[in-house]
């Protein structure tokens, strides 16, 4: 099942020509409309005319998450606020330096990418698809919803809710497809099994994304739910889910290459690597209007394969994202710098303050909790504690994309004596 054969099955020569035309237009568009990018090009002594096609991609500067944060609000969008149709955020709330914006065309392109992905999983207009991503400022819920509606499927927009009743609802409505995080789907599968509903549902396919997962997790989901589970990839900065997705062959995720130009770089030298080598994944958004990006460093490690797939698609495939560069954590699908967390918290207040940052799973979502300790001989008023909590939440939410729960450790001694570091980060998801 292929949603758009004209684009998804074009020859590599046709695709290269199309990408080159889009890149030339994009560079000119960004130079004229995005201040921070124009400054980057001028610093390199470059003008838009220096880029004649994708063979010149290596001349262009990189873009990082830090660039976007530093440039917000005046230099981040390429269009005026009047042309932005929808805002999303990498945080639980619309945070001032974590906003992404979409024009009407961006939304249309996004839903096209998700529609293609849904077809890759063998789902279409005759299916009933349940969305198990939350409908919050995050991109996942609405992105999955729009894509499902685009293919003509009926949509069940439950988001993340009381898991115990989902199995019965899925049985009643004869849901055939689900979209959610692998962790949440695995939890749902375990409950369905306990309720005796295994084998009694109409499920055929699950699209799992927004967090890294393994083949072992895939096997568990497929066995417990009786479906084929497909990997789907995206980043809020790019367009949310649908940047790439597995087809029925389950042999790598097809990149929507008419919308996204991908590179693999050596993580140390940032030199473009030959086909098939493992390195950092970098994307250029070829048709995005609101928040276009050139050579955006995802910090995700993978490989790209360009040979034609058995499914008939010619779009290149990336391997599953199971790891990031060494200084990074993956929180709700976002790359988070460990050293930045440590440096930010270490610079707050005084040397007597100590922190433990715990990352956990709750109801299928990553949550961040910060335990704060201070000199046992010092007394903080309620107002001082509340001020510290607010400040920690503010600085950490800008980094991790999630507003953390912050509390003062009740047992100030035992918890922090295990390590003499000022900031300890514990990932309890593994």
């Amino acid at each position: 099942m292929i949603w758009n054969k004209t684009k998804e099955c074009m020859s590599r020569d046709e695709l290269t020509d199309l990408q080159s035309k889009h890149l030339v237009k994009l560079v000119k568009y960004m130079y004229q409309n995005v201040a921070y990018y124009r400054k980057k090009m001028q610093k390199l002594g470059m003008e838009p005319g220096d880029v004649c096609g994708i063979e010149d991609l290596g001349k262009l500067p990189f873009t990082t998450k830090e660039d976007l944060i530093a440039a917000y609000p005046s230099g981040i969008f390429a269009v005026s606020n009047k042309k932005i149709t929808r805002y999303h955020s990498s945080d639980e709330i619309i945070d001032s330096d974590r906003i992404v914006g979409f024009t009407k065309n961006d939304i249309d392109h996004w839903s096209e990418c998700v529609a293609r992905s849904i077809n890759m999983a063998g789902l279409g207009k005759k299916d009933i698809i349940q969305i198990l991503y939350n409908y919050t400022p995050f991109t996942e819920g609405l992105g999955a919803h729009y894509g499902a509606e685009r293919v003509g499927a009926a949509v069940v927009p439950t988001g993340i809710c009381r898991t115990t009743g989902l199995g019965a609802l899925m049985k009643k409505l004869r849901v055939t497809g689900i979209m959610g995080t692998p962790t949440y789907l695995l939890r749902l599968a375990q409950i369905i099994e306990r309720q005796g509903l295994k084998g009694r549902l109409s499920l055929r396919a699950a699209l799992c994304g927004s967090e890294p997962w393994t083949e072992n997790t895939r096997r568990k989901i497929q066995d417990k739910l009786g479906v084929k589970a497909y990997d789907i990839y995206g980043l809020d900065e790019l367009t949310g889910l649908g940047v790439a997705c597995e087809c029925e062959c389950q042999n790598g995720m097809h990149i929507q290459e008419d919308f996204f130009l991908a590179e693999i770089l050596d993580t140390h030298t940032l030199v473009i690597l030959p086909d098939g080598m493992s390195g950092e994944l970098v994307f250029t958004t070829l048709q995005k209007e609101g928040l276009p990006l050139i050579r955006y460093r995802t910090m995700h490690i993978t490989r790209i394969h360009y040979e034609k797939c058995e499914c008939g698609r010619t779009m290149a495939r990336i391997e599953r994202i199971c790891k990031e560069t060494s200084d990074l954590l993956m929180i709700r699908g976002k790359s988070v710098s460990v050293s930045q967390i440590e440096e930010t918290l270490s610079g707050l207040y005084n040397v007597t303050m100590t922190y433990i940052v715990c990352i956990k799973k709750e109801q299928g979502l990553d949550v961040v909790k910060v335990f704060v300790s201070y000199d046992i001989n010092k007394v903080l008023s309620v107002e001082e504690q509340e001020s510290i909590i607010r400040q920690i939440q503010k600085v950490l939410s800008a980094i991790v994309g999630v507003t953390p729960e912050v509390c003062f450790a009740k047992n100030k001694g035992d918890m922090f004596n295990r390590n003499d570091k000022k900031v300890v980060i514990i990932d309890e998801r593994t």
Side-chain angles (χ1 to χ4, degrees), residues 30 36 63-69 76-77 88-91 97-102 106 110 137-140 233-241 243 259-260 283-286 288-300 330-336 398-401:
M30 291 189 70
Y36 83 87
T63 308
T64 66
K65 179 177 67 176
E66 288 73 26
D67 288 333
L68 301 182
I69 292 175
I76 188 170
F77 296 121
H88 282 281
S89 175
S90 295
D91 200 351
D97 57 6
R98 303 284 292 178
I99 297 174
V100 293
F102 297 81
D106 291 337
W110 183 11
F138 294 118
T139 57
E140 289 89 350
Y233 174 82
L235 286 175
D236 290 341
E237 295 87 347
L238 299 175
T239 194
L241 291 174
V243 174
F259 294 110
F260 305 100
F283 276 115
T284 297
T285 58
L286 293 173
K288 201 169 182 186
E289 295 176 337
L291 179 58
L293 298 171
I294 288 182
R295 307 193 81 190
Y296 183 73
R297 296 186 58 188
T298 67
M299 302 299 178
H300 297 161
M330 182 74 96
I331 299 177
R332 296 197 186 182
K334 317 301 184 300
S335 297
V336 177
I399 298 171
V400 304

Side-chain angles (χ1 to χ4, degrees), residues 329 338 341-343 345-346 353-359 368-372 396 415-427:
L329 293 168
V338 171
I341 294 174
E342 293 173 344
E343 290 170 7
L345 290 178
S346 295
M353 203 74 73
T354 311
Y355 309 89
I356 286 184
V357 180
C358 291
I359 307 163
V368 179
K369 297 185 179 182
V370 181
F371 299 91
V372 185
L396 273 193
M415 190 172 187
F416 291 85
N417 286 339
R418 296 177 294 173
N419 199 306
D420 58 2
K421 293 177 65 177
K422 185 173 176 60
V423 181
V424 178
I425 298 177
I426 301 174
D427 190 345

Side-chain angles (χ1 to χ4, degrees), residues 80-87 101-105 107:
S80 66
N81 289 341
K82 293 181 180 179
K83 293 184 178 180
I84 296 293
T85 299
R86 175 144 16 109
Y87 291 100
F102 297 81
T103 66
K104 185 178 183 301
N105 283 335
I107 296 293

Side-chain angles (χ1 to χ4, degrees), residues 153-336:
V155 182
V156 184
T158 53
I160 294 178
C161 58
R162 289 185 60 187
T163 315
T164 52
L166 284 179
L169 178 65
M170 293 162 72
K171 184 176 183 295
K172 181 179 181 179
L173 296 179
R174 297 183 179 179
V175 171
T176 54
I178 47 177
M179 301 178 71
T181 65
T183 302
Y184 191 71
L185 294 189
L186 186 58
R187 181 167 174 259
L188 173 62
Q190 292 168 340
I191 291 176
I192 286 174
E193 190 173 33
R194 286 201 300 266
Q195 292 176 339
L197 292 172
K198 182 179 179 180
R200 299 172 61 191
L201 303 179
S202 302
L203 283 176
R204 295 191 295 108
L207 284 94
C208 307
S210 294
E211 66 184 23
W213 56 309
T214 65
E215 278 299 317
N216 184 48
T217 300
R218 188 210 294 270
R219 285 192 293 270
K220 289 180 180 178
I221 291 173
Q222 293 187 155
D223 176 63
K224 292 180 181 295
L225 288 179
V227 301
K228 288 190 73 173
Y230 299 89
D231 202 355
I232 184 170
Y233 174 82
L235 286 175
D236 290 341
E237 295 87 347
L238 299 175
T239 194
L241 291 174
V243 174
C245 187
E246 284 183 321
C247 66
E248 65 242 35
C249 299
Q250 294 180 312
N251 188 26
M253 294 178 281
H254 287 280
I255 306 166
Q256 315 294 354
E257 288 191 275
D258 49 333
F259 294 110
F260 305 100
L261 177 56
E263 305 171 82
I264 294 292
L265 304 182
D266 182 280
T267 55
H268 300 293
T269 65
L270 300 185
V271 171
I272 300 175
L273 294 174
D275 297 354
M277 292 192 67
S278 178
E280 182 182 342
L281 181 61
V282 174
F283 276 115
T284 297
T285 58
L286 293 173
Q287 298 190 56
K288 201 169 182 186
E289 295 176 337
L291 179 58
L293 298 171
I294 288 182
R295 307 193 81 190
Y296 183 73
R297 296 186 58 188
T298 67
M299 302 299 178
H300 297 161
I301 305 300
T302 189
R303 291 183 176 88
I304 298 181
H305 300 284
Y306 289 93
E307 65 273 13
K308 184 177 179 179
C309 182
E310 292 180 8
C311 72
R313 294 176 178 84
T314 54
M315 298 291 189
R317 288 164 290 149
I318 54 174
E319 294 181 2
R320 172 179 280 122
I321 309 294
C322 284
K323 57 182 178 179
E324 300 88 45
T325 51
S326 59
D327 184 46
L328 295 174
L329 293 168
M330 182 74 96
I331 299 177
R332 296 197 186 182
K334 317 301 184 300
S335 297
V336 177

Side-chain angles (χ1 to χ4, degrees), residues 383-414:
E383 290 77 13
E384 287 175 319
Q385 291 190 21
E386 290 177 346
S387 175
I388 290 171
I389 289 172
R390 286 194 300 271
Q391 180 66 11
I392 293 172
Q393 288 178 325
K394 179 180 179 181
V395 298
L396 273 193
S397 63
I399 298 171
V400 304
V402 176
T403 301
E405 177 184 336
V406 182
C407 61
F408 286 86
K410 295 180 179 179
N411 189 340
K412 301 182 181 65
D414 295 342

